[in-house]
Amino acid sequence: MAMTAAKILATGVLFGLFPGSAIYAEETVDTIFADLLDRAPMHGSLGSMLDAYRAVEKLDADTLLALAKKMAPLSRDYSGGSQMRKVVLTRFAELDPDAALSYAQQADAEGKYPSAVRIVAEELARSNPGTALAALGSTENEKEFWILADALIPVGGDGVPEALLAIFTQRKGISIWSRSGYYRLFESWARKDVRAAFDSLDTIPESKDRQQAISGIGNVFPCKDLDLALELAEELTDQIERSKFLHGSANSVAKTEPEKAFTFLLKNLPPGDRATLSTYRVSEWFAADPEAARAWVQSLDNWEDRAFALHHEFCMPDKG
């Protein structure tokens, strides 16, 4: 995982790898540019990245902007130059968020630096999510919208999920649903605070968007508790949403605890909603451990449950 500027600088200071003072005095941008390329981290090692960040740590925003413009044309094949270009732009975004984002948007629009917005978005999501959220709320460019959203979704805390949800529900002309935006937002949110994520479902006006969000929360329960999933599901008044949530909660559990997952679903899903029970997951179990799967079927008291479960024995995946 790539280290941020702040983390790398902190690591360097901690271990005494470099001093905090500036290494440039009154050199011109051309001189600094040449020196930075000499220092370019060719393979992304910690030492080379520390040296790269040391080189730009004390540069002011105007110099960083000039360097970013000068480095923009560097070939992607020149990995060292590409890495240093990212270092410069990341530090610029940390130092002057608005100016860095403005430059990145222009460079991207002109085709001079296609990944500029993504680099700035990742740094802003870490160090200045308010600026990133403001940009997300105002952009009319769908590509830029999703670059910013994708950077912000994993952040969590400090009101970021709530702000993202407000932007998602208010945007017109950008399809949040088609890009699984609600699913990814609520999955990430629920990993940090499942209760807050669940309580926010009522603010989503569209049914299809709510169902996507519900599936995202449900997908978190492999790390959680099926009893909690059932408790939350009881708060859902729409039967389709309730079934989707329960199915999502149990589906991933079935990878490692199939008997627990399928017993849970058969107990809590009404017969008419059994079609949502994952045929592939049940079939996987019959294929991987047919003796255990058949013993489970025989243990079921209700003949309809047994018939439904046995059906999946004939849907086993082809083992080749």
Side-chain angles (χ1 to χ4, degrees), residues 46-75:
L46 176 60
S48 62
M49 292 297 285
L50 285 170
D51 194 44
Y53 278 109
R54 176 195 176 193
V56 302
E57 178 192 8
K58 296 297 182 179
L59 296 177
D60 62 29
D62 289 340
T63 303
L64 289 166
L65 174 58
L67 286 170
K69 290 179 177 179
K70 195 169 183 65
M71 289 182 169
L74 291 176
S75 169

PDB file of all heavy atoms in Angstrom, residues 46-75:
ATOM      1  N   LEU A  46      11.101   2.284   0.088  1.00  0.00           N
ATOM      2  CA  LEU A  46      10.903   3.247   1.168  1.00  0.00           C
ATOM      3  C   LEU A  46      12.007   4.290   1.164  1.00  0.00           C
ATOM      4  O   LEU A  46      11.743   5.491   1.300  1.00  0.00           O
ATOM      5  CB  LEU A  46      10.862   2.527   2.520  1.00  0.00           C
ATOM      6  CG  LEU A  46      10.743   3.430   3.761  1.00  0.00           C
ATOM      7  CD1 LEU A  46       9.471   4.253   3.690  1.00  0.00           C
ATOM      8  CD2 LEU A  46      10.775   2.593   5.030  1.00  0.00           C
ATOM      9  N   GLY A  47      13.238   3.839   0.983  1.00  0.00           N
ATOM     10  CA  GLY A  47      14.358   4.786   0.992  1.00  0.00           C
ATOM     11  C   GLY A  47      14.261   5.820  -0.104  1.00  0.00           C
ATOM     12  O   GLY A  47      14.455   7.015   0.135  1.00  0.00           O
ATOM     13  N   SER A  48      13.933   5.383  -1.318  1.00  0.00           N
ATOM     14  CA  SER A  48      13.859   6.322  -2.435  1.00  0.00           C
ATOM     15  C   SER A  48      12.653   7.249  -2.293  1.00  0.00           C
ATOM     16  O   SER A  48      12.716   8.428  -2.653  1.00  0.00           O
ATOM     17  CB  SER A  48      13.799   5.563  -3.767  1.00  0.00           C
ATOM     18  OG  SER A  48      12.638   4.763  -3.832  1.00  0.00           O
ATOM     19  N   MET A  49      11.546   6.739  -1.737  1.00  0.00           N
ATOM     20  CA  MET A  49      10.385   7.591  -1.536  1.00  0.00           C
ATOM     21  C   MET A  49      10.643   8.613  -0.434  1.00  0.00           C
ATOM     22  O   MET A  49      10.234   9.769  -0.535  1.00  0.00           O
ATOM     23  CB  MET A  49       9.160   6.739  -1.176  1.00  0.00           C
ATOM     24  CG  MET A  49       8.659   5.867  -2.316  1.00  0.00           C
ATOM     25  SD  MET A  49       8.094   6.815  -3.740  1.00  0.00           S
ATOM     26  CE  MET A  49       6.521   7.425  -3.140  1.00  0.00           C
ATOM     27  N   LEU A  50      11.361   8.206   0.610  1.00  0.00           N
ATOM     28  CA  LEU A  50      11.729   9.157   1.654  1.00  0.00           C
ATOM     29  C   LEU A  50      12.597  10.270   1.088  1.00  0.00           C
ATOM     30  O   LEU A  50      12.404  11.455   1.400  1.00  0.00           O
ATOM     31  CB  LEU A  50      12.479   8.436   2.782  1.00  0.00           C
ATOM     32  CG  LEU A  50      11.644   7.578   3.726  1.00  0.00           C
ATOM     33  CD1 LEU A  50      12.557   6.740   4.627  1.00  0.00           C
ATOM     34  CD2 LEU A  50      10.726   8.433   4.580  1.00  0.00           C
ATOM     35  N   ASP A  51      13.536   9.906   0.244  1.00  0.00           N
ATOM     36  CA  ASP A  51      14.414  10.907  -0.351  1.00  0.00           C
ATOM     37  C   ASP A  51      13.618  11.850  -1.247  1.00  0.00           C
ATOM     38  O   ASP A  51      13.863  13.059  -1.290  1.00  0.00           O
ATOM     39  CB  ASP A  51      15.514  10.206  -1.155  1.00  0.00           C
ATOM     40  CG  ASP A  51      16.648  11.151  -1.513  1.00  0.00           C
ATOM     41  OD1 ASP A  51      17.072  11.927  -0.634  1.00  0.00           O
ATOM     42  OD2 ASP A  51      17.085  11.131  -2.667  1.00  0.00           O
ATOM     43  N   ALA A  52      12.646  11.290  -1.978  1.00  0.00           N
ATOM     44  CA  ALA A  52      11.814  12.113  -2.854  1.00  0.00           C
ATOM     45  C   ALA A  52      10.999  13.121  -2.044  1.00  0.00           C
ATOM     46  O   ALA A  52      10.924  14.308  -2.385  1.00  0.00           O
ATOM     47  CB  ALA A  52      10.892  11.224  -3.680  1.00  0.00           C
ATOM     48  N   TYR A  53      10.370  12.677  -0.975  1.00  0.00           N
ATOM     49  CA  TYR A  53       9.568  13.581  -0.162  1.00  0.00           C
ATOM     50  C   TYR A  53      10.441  14.595   0.573  1.00  0.00           C
ATOM     51  O   TYR A  53      10.041  15.738   0.772  1.00  0.00           O
ATOM     52  CB  TYR A  53       8.709  12.802   0.832  1.00  0.00           C
ATOM     53  CG  TYR A  53       7.441  12.284   0.208  1.00  0.00           C
ATOM     54  CD1 TYR A  53       7.261  10.929  -0.046  1.00  0.00           C
ATOM     55  CD2 TYR A  53       6.420  13.154  -0.180  1.00  0.00           C
ATOM     56  CE1 TYR A  53       6.104  10.460  -0.645  1.00  0.00           C
ATOM     57  CE2 TYR A  53       5.281  12.704  -0.782  1.00  0.00           C
ATOM     58  CZ  TYR A  53       5.111  11.350  -1.006  1.00  0.00           C
ATOM     59  OH  TYR A  53       3.968  10.893  -1.612  1.00  0.00           O
ATOM     60  N   ARG A  54      11.626  14.175   0.951  1.00  0.00           N
ATOM     61  CA  ARG A  54      12.550  15.127   1.574  1.00  0.00           C
ATOM     62  C   ARG A  54      12.844  16.272   0.616  1.00  0.00           C
ATOM     63  O   ARG A  54      12.929  17.433   1.011  1.00  0.00           O
ATOM     64  CB  ARG A  54      13.851  14.413   1.942  1.00  0.00           C
ATOM     65  CG  ARG A  54      14.901  15.366   2.502  1.00  0.00           C
ATOM     66  CD  ARG A  54      16.279  14.714   2.501  1.00  0.00           C
ATOM     67  NE  ARG A  54      17.300  15.657   2.956  1.00  0.00           N
ATOM     68  CZ  ARG A  54      18.594  15.459   2.819  1.00  0.00           C
ATOM     69  NH1 ARG A  54      19.040  14.368   2.223  1.00  0.00           N
ATOM     70  NH2 ARG A  54      19.457  16.341   3.272  1.00  0.00           N
ATOM     71  N   ALA A  55      12.977  15.950  -0.656  1.00  0.00           N
ATOM     72  CA  ALA A  55      13.351  16.951  -1.641  1.00  0.00           C
ATOM     73  C   ALA A  55      12.280  18.005  -1.862  1.00  0.00           C
ATOM     74  O   ALA A  55      12.576  19.139  -2.237  1.00  0.00           O
ATOM     75  CB  ALA A  55      13.681  16.268  -2.974  1.00  0.00           C
ATOM     76  N   VAL A  56      11.019  17.661  -1.643  1.00  0.00           N
ATOM     77  CA  VAL A  56       9.941  18.612  -1.918  1.00  0.00           C
ATOM     78  C   VAL A  56       9.289  19.150  -0.644  1.00  0.00           C
ATOM     79  O   VAL A  56       8.430  20.020  -0.713  1.00  0.00           O
ATOM     80  CB  VAL A  56       8.845  17.981  -2.805  1.00  0.00           C
ATOM     81  CG1 VAL A  56       9.433  17.483  -4.109  1.00  0.00           C
ATOM     82  CG2 VAL A  56       8.121  16.856  -2.075  1.00  0.00           C
ATOM     83  N   GLU A  57       9.706  18.672   0.517  1.00  0.00           N
ATOM     84  CA  GLU A  57       9.021  18.991   1.766  1.00  0.00           C
ATOM     85  C   GLU A  57       8.871  20.490   2.013  1.00  0.00           C
ATOM     86  O   GLU A  57       7.830  20.957   2.450  1.00  0.00           O
ATOM     87  CB  GLU A  57       9.767  18.352   2.943  1.00  0.00           C
ATOM     88  CG  GLU A  57       9.149  18.662   4.289  1.00  0.00           C
ATOM     89  CD  GLU A  57      10.055  18.267   5.440  1.00  0.00           C
ATOM     90  OE1 GLU A  57      11.216  17.891   5.202  1.00  0.00           O
ATOM     91  OE2 GLU A  57       9.595  18.360   6.583  1.00  0.00           O
ATOM     92  N   LYS A  58       9.918  21.286   1.746  1.00  0.00           N
ATOM     93  CA  LYS A  58       9.900  22.704   2.103  1.00  0.00           C
ATOM     94  C   LYS A  58       9.652  23.637   0.919  1.00  0.00           C
ATOM     95  O   LYS A  58       9.750  24.847   1.062  1.00  0.00           O
ATOM     96  CB  LYS A  58      11.233  23.085   2.766  1.00  0.00           C
ATOM     97  CG  LYS A  58      11.491  22.374   4.095  1.00  0.00           C
ATOM     98  CD  LYS A  58      10.448  22.748   5.143  1.00  0.00           C
ATOM     99  CE  LYS A  58      10.748  22.083   6.476  1.00  0.00           C
ATOM    100  NZ  LYS A  58       9.780  22.453   7.508  1.00  0.00           N
ATOM    101  N   LEU A  59       9.353  23.058  -0.237  1.00  0.00           N
ATOM    102  CA  LEU A  59       9.048  23.906  -1.388  1.00  0.00           C
ATOM    103  C   LEU A  59       7.694  24.580  -1.196  1.00  0.00           C
ATOM    104  O   LEU A  59       6.772  23.998  -0.640  1.00  0.00           O
ATOM    105  CB  LEU A  59       9.031  23.073  -2.669  1.00  0.00           C
ATOM    106  CG  LEU A  59      10.361  22.423  -3.081  1.00  0.00           C
ATOM    107  CD1 LEU A  59      10.166  21.572  -4.328  1.00  0.00           C
ATOM    108  CD2 LEU A  59      11.443  23.475  -3.311  1.00  0.00           C
ATOM    109  N   ASP A  60       7.572  25.824  -1.675  1.00  0.00           N
ATOM    110  CA  ASP A  60       6.294  26.519  -1.527  1.00  0.00           C
ATOM    111  C   ASP A  60       5.334  26.112  -2.640  1.00  0.00           C
ATOM    112  O   ASP A  60       5.701  25.430  -3.604  1.00  0.00           O
ATOM    113  CB  ASP A  60       6.500  28.034  -1.488  1.00  0.00           C
ATOM    114  CG  ASP A  60       7.117  28.599  -2.754  1.00  0.00           C
ATOM    115  OD1 ASP A  60       6.904  28.019  -3.847  1.00  0.00           O
ATOM    116  OD2 ASP A  60       7.815  29.631  -2.677  1.00  0.00           O
ATOM    117  N   ALA A  61       4.085  26.544  -2.520  1.00  0.00           N
ATOM    118  CA  ALA A  61       3.040  26.118  -3.452  1.00  0.00           C
ATOM    119  C   ALA A  61       3.320  26.569  -4.880  1.00  0.00           C
ATOM    120  O   ALA A  61       3.067  25.821  -5.831  1.00  0.00           O
ATOM    121  CB  ALA A  61       1.685  26.653  -2.986  1.00  0.00           C
ATOM    122  N   ASP A  62       3.842  27.788  -5.056  1.00  0.00           N
ATOM    123  CA  ASP A  62       4.126  28.293  -6.403  1.00  0.00           C
ATOM    124  C   ASP A  62       5.183  27.432  -7.093  1.00  0.00           C
ATOM    125  O   ASP A  62       5.066  27.123  -8.292  1.00  0.00           O
ATOM    126  CB  ASP A  62       4.595  29.743  -6.349  1.00  0.00           C
ATOM    127  CG  ASP A  62       3.468  30.703  -5.973  1.00  0.00           C
ATOM    128  OD1 ASP A  62       2.292  30.305  -6.131  1.00  0.00           O
ATOM    129  OD2 ASP A  62       3.764  31.820  -5.527  1.00  0.00           O
ATOM    130  N   THR A  63       6.210  27.049  -6.343  1.00  0.00           N
ATOM    131  CA  THR A  63       7.265  26.212  -6.923  1.00  0.00           C
ATOM    132  C   THR A  63       6.722  24.818  -7.249  1.00  0.00           C
ATOM    133  O   THR A  63       7.034  24.255  -8.304  1.00  0.00           O
ATOM    134  CB  THR A  63       8.451  26.095  -5.944  1.00  0.00           C
ATOM    135  OG1 THR A  63       8.925  27.403  -5.625  1.00  0.00           O
ATOM    136  CG2 THR A  63       9.587  25.283  -6.558  1.00  0.00           C
ATOM    137  N   LEU A  64       5.918  24.286  -6.369  1.00  0.00           N
ATOM    138  CA  LEU A  64       5.333  22.968  -6.628  1.00  0.00           C
ATOM    139  C   LEU A  64       4.425  22.989  -7.853  1.00  0.00           C
ATOM    140  O   LEU A  64       4.429  22.044  -8.650  1.00  0.00           O
ATOM    141  CB  LEU A  64       4.542  22.511  -5.400  1.00  0.00           C
ATOM    142  CG  LEU A  64       5.394  22.139  -4.182  1.00  0.00           C
ATOM    143  CD1 LEU A  64       4.516  22.030  -2.939  1.00  0.00           C
ATOM    144  CD2 LEU A  64       6.144  20.835  -4.414  1.00  0.00           C
ATOM    145  N   LEU A  65       3.668  24.071  -8.027  1.00  0.00           N
ATOM    146  CA  LEU A  65       2.821  24.193  -9.214  1.00  0.00           C
ATOM    147  C   LEU A  65       3.674  24.244 -10.469  1.00  0.00           C
ATOM    148  O   LEU A  65       3.383  23.565 -11.464  1.00  0.00           O
ATOM    149  CB  LEU A  65       1.958  25.449  -9.113  1.00  0.00           C
ATOM    150  CG  LEU A  65       1.119  25.793 -10.352  1.00  0.00           C
ATOM    151  CD1 LEU A  65       0.191  24.639 -10.711  1.00  0.00           C
ATOM    152  CD2 LEU A  65       0.321  27.069 -10.109  1.00  0.00           C
ATOM    153  N   ALA A  66       4.740  25.046 -10.434  1.00  0.00           N
ATOM    154  CA  ALA A  66       5.630  25.135 -11.594  1.00  0.00           C
ATOM    155  C   ALA A  66       6.251  23.782 -11.906  1.00  0.00           C
ATOM    156  O   ALA A  66       6.369  23.394 -13.084  1.00  0.00           O
ATOM    157  CB  ALA A  66       6.716  26.178 -11.324  1.00  0.00           C
ATOM    158  N   LEU A  67       6.648  23.048 -10.879  1.00  0.00           N
ATOM    159  CA  LEU A  67       7.238  21.718 -11.085  1.00  0.00           C
ATOM    160  C   LEU A  67       6.206  20.733 -11.623  1.00  0.00           C
ATOM    161  O   LEU A  67       6.512  19.917 -12.506  1.00  0.00           O
ATOM    162  CB  LEU A  67       7.820  21.207  -9.767  1.00  0.00           C
ATOM    163  CG  LEU A  67       9.120  21.847  -9.305  1.00  0.00           C
ATOM    164  CD1 LEU A  67       9.437  21.420  -7.877  1.00  0.00           C
ATOM    165  CD2 LEU A  67      10.280  21.474 -10.244  1.00  0.00           C
ATOM    166  N   ALA A  68       4.992  20.806 -11.096  1.00  0.00           N
ATOM    167  CA  ALA A  68       3.942  19.907 -11.575  1.00  0.00           C
ATOM    168  C   ALA A  68       3.689  20.116 -13.059  1.00  0.00           C
ATOM    169  O   ALA A  68       3.543  19.161 -13.830  1.00  0.00           O
ATOM    170  CB  ALA A  68       2.657  20.129 -10.779  1.00  0.00           C
ATOM    171  N   LYS A  69       3.658  21.371 -13.494  1.00  0.00           N
ATOM    172  CA  LYS A  69       3.452  21.672 -14.914  1.00  0.00           C
ATOM    173  C   LYS A  69       4.619  21.175 -15.751  1.00  0.00           C
ATOM    174  O   LYS A  69       4.437  20.656 -16.856  1.00  0.00           O
ATOM    175  CB  LYS A  69       3.273  23.176 -15.104  1.00  0.00           C
ATOM    176  CG  LYS A  69       1.959  23.719 -14.547  1.00  0.00           C
ATOM    177  CD  LYS A  69       1.870  25.223 -14.747  1.00  0.00           C
ATOM    178  CE  LYS A  69       0.532  25.777 -14.264  1.00  0.00           C
ATOM    179  NZ  LYS A  69       0.427  27.240 -14.424  1.00  0.00           N
ATOM    180  N   LYS A  70       5.822  21.321 -15.222  1.00  0.00           N
ATOM    181  CA  LYS A  70       7.009  20.915 -15.972  1.00  0.00           C
ATOM    182  C   LYS A  70       7.106  19.395 -16.078  1.00  0.00           C
ATOM    183  O   LYS A  70       7.597  18.851 -17.066  1.00  0.00           O
ATOM    184  CB  LYS A  70       8.254  21.480 -15.289  1.00  0.00           C
ATOM    185  CG  LYS A  70       9.506  21.444 -16.158  1.00  0.00           C
ATOM    186  CD  LYS A  70      10.606  22.259 -15.532  1.00  0.00           C
ATOM    187  CE  LYS A  70      11.857  22.289 -16.433  1.00  0.00           C
ATOM    188  NZ  LYS A  70      11.578  22.995 -17.711  1.00  0.00           N
ATOM    189  N   MET A  71       6.612  18.707 -15.030  1.00  0.00           N
ATOM    190  CA  MET A  71       6.697  17.251 -15.011  1.00  0.00           C
ATOM    191  C   MET A  71       5.545  16.566 -15.734  1.00  0.00           C
ATOM    192  O   MET A  71       5.625  15.373 -16.033  1.00  0.00           O
ATOM    193  CB  MET A  71       6.735  16.756 -13.563  1.00  0.00           C
ATOM    194  CG  MET A  71       8.036  17.056 -12.855  1.00  0.00           C
ATOM    195  SD  MET A  71       8.019  16.393 -11.172  1.00  0.00           S
ATOM    196  CE  MET A  71       9.755  16.610 -10.737  1.00  0.00           C
ATOM    197  N   ALA A  72       4.476  17.308 -15.990  1.00  0.00           N
ATOM    198  CA  ALA A  72       3.283  16.702 -16.588  1.00  0.00           C
ATOM    199  C   ALA A  72       3.571  15.905 -17.857  1.00  0.00           C
ATOM    200  O   ALA A  72       3.005  14.819 -18.054  1.00  0.00           O
ATOM    201  CB  ALA A  72       2.232  17.777 -16.853  1.00  0.00           C
ATOM    202  N   PRO A  73       4.441  16.384 -18.758  1.00  0.00           N
ATOM    203  CA  PRO A  73       4.650  15.637 -20.007  1.00  0.00           C
ATOM    204  C   PRO A  73       5.518  14.393 -19.870  1.00  0.00           C
ATOM    205  O   PRO A  73       5.725  13.682 -20.856  1.00  0.00           O
ATOM    206  CB  PRO A  73       5.365  16.662 -20.915  1.00  0.00           C
ATOM    207  CG  PRO A  73       5.198  17.988 -20.254  1.00  0.00           C
ATOM    208  CD  PRO A  73       5.131  17.684 -18.797  1.00  0.00           C
ATOM    209  N   LEU A  74       6.086  14.129 -18.688  1.00  0.00           N
ATOM    210  CA  LEU A  74       6.983  12.986 -18.552  1.00  0.00           C
ATOM    211  C   LEU A  74       6.282  11.698 -18.970  1.00  0.00           C
ATOM    212  O   LEU A  74       5.140  11.439 -18.608  1.00  0.00           O
ATOM    213  CB  LEU A  74       7.468  12.850 -17.106  1.00  0.00           C
ATOM    214  CG  LEU A  74       8.426  13.936 -16.612  1.00  0.00           C
ATOM    215  CD1 LEU A  74       8.747  13.710 -15.129  1.00  0.00           C
ATOM    216  CD2 LEU A  74       9.713  13.933 -17.424  1.00  0.00           C
ATOM    217  N   SER A  75       6.994  10.891 -19.720  1.00  0.00           N
ATOM    218  CA  SER A  75       6.420   9.655 -20.235  1.00  0.00           C
ATOM    219  C   SER A  75       6.062   8.711 -19.106  1.00  0.00           C
ATOM    220  O   SER A  75       6.773   8.597 -18.109  1.00  0.00           O
ATOM    221  CB  SER A  75       7.426   8.965 -21.174  1.00  0.00           C
ATOM    222  OG  SER A  75       6.995   7.655 -21.493  1.00  0.00           O
TER     223      SER A  75
END
